[in-house]
Amino acid sequence: MRAALWLLALFGIAVAVALFAGNNQGTVTFFWPPYRVDLSLNAVLLLLFGSFTLLYAALRGTAALLRLPHRARRWRLQQKERAMHASLLDAMSQLLAGRFLRARKAAESSITQEHSLSETAPVPHGRQLRTLAHIVAAESSHALQDRTTRETHLQQALDSIPANASTSEQELREGAQLRAARWSLDERDANAALDRMTTLSAGASRRTLALRARLKASRMARLTADALDTARLLGKHRAFSPAAAESIVRSLATELINDAHDPAQLQRAWMALDASEREMPELAVHAAQRLAQLDGDQAQVRHWLLPVWELMVDPQSSLSDHQALKLIRVLESNLGGIDATWLARIESAHQSNPRDARLQYLSAVACLHRELWGKAQQLFTEAAPRLADKVLRASAWRYLAELAEHRNDEQAAADAWKQAAIAAL
């Protein structure tokens, strides 16, 4: 359609020119005494058009000739820029391919070319290109274990970007700081890694990559409390799967509990945990066991174990057999001074589930601490043959032997000691 319109327009112009020039009787007379020149109007118009065309072509040609040096200079700059970009791309390719020495040489070549270009004319994104080249050179030097060269290039990369730089340039600076922290972690220098991460902005320090590095550095530096806080943040950011996040938090909380050296310190560590963490059966049992090892109050031990106990006696309980067995063992060791409330809890659980030999055994131990010798002997006698765990079974026979000795029944005591020895094998 457009071609047809152009054709119609040209046809109209041609018709108009033919109508104007075909019957044009006008003349143009030029006087130059004593001469007189008469020209037709068509010839004058044709000469004017030809003169304009010749003048325009001459001016364009002259301008093109005058622009040749500028175009040649611009072409040379473009070639240098292309060489600079090619060197940087080659450096990154060599770095990814594991050819670190070649990568560093290519990056340094790109830096040299950028410096040469910047002296002639400003390079678009020059600071970012220079910083990126320094980072590649530093990364290659780190792989080559050349720490001096690495630190030199890192400092030059950081100095290339001022504090008032644009957002994209600041992100490149933060990337360099994060890489420096990772290098310190590779060298097992946790304190240096933490120092480098303190220079990050508030937003950058909460990114997943920074939090992962901080978690590793905190664990390496044995800063368990900081590592636990970082692991919680990573869990909220979904940096790990829910199961992995729970496992990491549980491991760090266990380490925090193990670092306590007296009951007061352990109490502070326990209260520093989140409510959801204190409800974890593994942590609650381990904390109670640690408190018992530190000669803490046995009533406090039983208080920490109460949520796990309620979970175990729940018919819909998800507590594993291993966790339940560990709970029984810790409770058994901390039933000294047991009150009537706990005794009622244990007896009620045993009556609700009389087939569970472990609950029967724990009830017998509770009766023993309450000096209910007859009832304790009866429960131990019924539970001992049915206990699957050999430690509890041997312990039940030892309790029966001690009760027999207490009532001076030497034969029953000897038989019980024999059964305890067999169970312990």
Side-chain angles (χ1 to χ4, degrees), residues 208 211-212 215 230-246 248-249:
T208 301
L211 289 175
R212 285 179 180 270
L215 174 61
T230 306
R232 290 168 181 159
L233 281 175
L234 283 169
K236 291 179 181 178
H237 291 180
R238 298 190 177 182
F240 308 113
S241 65
E246 182 180 351
I248 293 173
V249 169

Side-chain angles (χ1 to χ4, degrees), residues 231-384:
R232 290 168 181 159
L233 281 175
L234 283 169
K236 291 179 181 178
H237 291 180
R238 298 190 177 182
F240 308 113
S241 65
E246 182 180 351
S247 177
I248 293 173
V249 169
R250 184 170 60 247
S251 173
L252 290 171
T254 302
E255 187 175 341
L256 186 65
I257 291 170
N258 290 336
D259 289 340
H261 300 291
D262 57 69
Q265 187 179 4
L266 180 58
Q267 180 73 22
R268 289 193 297 270
W270 178 252
M271 297 308 299
L273 299 179
D274 292 342
S276 59
E277 294 166 358
R278 291 197 295 268
E279 291 176 358
M280 293 182 181
E282 299 90 341
L283 284 182
V285 174
H286 184 73
Q289 187 177 23
R290 181 61 178 164
L291 181 61
Q293 292 172 353
L294 296 175
D295 297 328
D297 184 17
Q298 292 188 351
Q300 182 67 39
V301 173
R302 293 192 295 270
H303 177 69
W304 286 2
L305 291 175
L306 181 58
V308 188
W309 171 263
E310 292 176 346
L311 182 63
M312 187 186 76
V313 299
D314 186 358
Q316 305 298 327
S317 172
S318 59
L319 203 67
S320 66
D321 290 340
H322 174 73
Q323 294 169 346
L325 183 60
K326 190 173 181 179
L327 171 63
I328 294 294
R329 289 177 179 174
V330 177
L331 269 177
E332 176 196 356
S333 303
N334 293 276
L335 288 179
I338 183 174
D339 53 13
T341 303
W342 261 102
L343 180 62
R345 287 195 186 104
I346 296 174
E347 289 183 344
S348 175
H350 173 223
Q351 292 172 3
S352 300
N353 192 3
R355 295 185 178 182
D356 193 338
R358 296 171 303 183
L359 292 176
Q360 190 174 23
Y361 169 80
L362 189 63
S363 179
V365 176
C367 291
L368 191 64
H369 283 280
R370 295 285 291 183
E371 298 183 355
L372 302 174
W373 316 115
K375 188 173 182 180
Q377 181 181 355
Q378 178 186 356
L379 292 173
F380 278 131
T381 303
E382 295 175 358

Side-chain angles (χ1 to χ4, degrees), residues 93-104:
S93 300
Q94 298 289 355
L95 179 64
L96 294 175
R99 309 186 78 167
F100 304 115
L101 188 58
R102 292 189 180 186
R104 185 171 66 180

Side-chain angles (χ1 to χ4, degrees), residues 49-102:
F49 180 75
S51 300
F52 173 78
T53 303
L54 183 62
L55 179 62
Y56 178 77
L59 291 175
R60 290 294 301 269
T62 304
L65 288 174
L66 294 176
R67 284 199 306 268
L68 281 177
H70 175 72
R71 294 183 64 182
R73 178 174 174 272
R74 188 174 64 180
W75 181 84
R76 289 193 296 269
L77 289 176
Q78 288 178 345
Q79 295 301 313
K80 290 181 179 179
E81 286 183 10
R82 289 175 180 175
M84 176 189 66
H85 286 88
S87 297
L88 182 57
L89 290 174
D90 181 56
M92 297 181 70
S93 300
Q94 298 289 355
L95 179 64
L96 294 175
R99 309 186 78 167
F100 304 115
L101 188 58
R102 292 189 180 186

